[in-house]
Amino acid sequence: SAVISQKPSRDICQRGTSLTIQCQVDSQVTMMFWYRQQPGQSLTLIATANQGSEATYESGFVIDKFPISRPNLTFSTLTVSNMSPEDSSIYLCSASPGGRTDTQYFGPGTRLTVL
Amino acid sequence: DAKTTQPTSMDCAEGRAANLPCNHSTISGNEYVYWYRQIHSQGPQYIIHGLKNNETNEMASLIITEDRKSSTLILPHATLRDTAVYYCIVPTGANSKLTFGKGITLSVRP
């Protein structure tokens, strides 16, 4: 298994600003992922954070809006850029420590409110 | 992902077994069945996964039918802390991605 921590746990931001969310894993992992959970909804995968290369984005998500860094095997960041109230969501990161990427361990999430 | 179908909600009494069903009639031969849960205000938690055989761990048991078209997650002695949304997922693709549906909301009553 893996223990995932995220910073910040919550934030309230003004529209037009950007917020960077950090995700730290307690062990080296191959795959890291970023999800969004809008109010009352299920999780939606934003992108796969690849170590040493650009993230792989899902349909509907673009790098300019959600730039991702993955500088090493234990850390990743997600930036929510030029925020609007529609970006108010919980953002979660996950990690897949083993060979199977479908066994993922999730962080506690970052609750973002955009005013 | 192979589509999964779950009831919207169910409840059970504390201390009793909770049996959560899932249909996945389009599952392929090499696709696994995964279960996650999300307790309110927390990140999802991996529970268990299986391919063909029944599986058991410290959290739950997973019973998969012989034709693999459905499965049941069993929490043998449900507690109030097991109240959560439970997701049955059949990941597909080379780098298997998790597609979370609406899940089933389990309410454990005292």
Side-chain angles (χ1 to χ4, degrees), chain B residues 1-54:
Chain B
D1 287 359
K3 182 176 173 60
T4 62
T5 305
Q6 301 177 256
T8 303
S9 64
M10 68 177 294
D11 67 347
C12 76
E14 189 176 19
R16 304 297 295 269
N19 297 305
L20 285 67
C22 179
N23 287 322
H24 32 79
S25 59
T26 60
I27 194 170
S28 299
N30 61 346
E31 292 176 338
Y32 284 73
V33 180
Y34 271 75
W35 284 82
Y36 285 78
R37 74 178 182 183
Q38 187 173 24
I39 297 170
H40 184 62
S41 297
Q42 297 184 21
Q45 178 186 22
Y46 163 77
I47 301 174
I48 198 168
H49 73 278
L51 181 63
K52 295 179 182 178
N53 301 319
N54 299 335

Side-chain angles (χ1 to χ4, degrees), chain A residues 33-56:
Chain A
F33 306 86
W34 286 97
Y35 292 81
R36 179 176 73 183
Q37 187 169 29
Q38 295 177 299
Q41 303 296 313
S42 190
L43 283 78
T44 300
L45 179 64
I46 297 172
T48 302
N50 303 307
Q51 196 270 328
S53 64
E54 247 183 36
T56 305

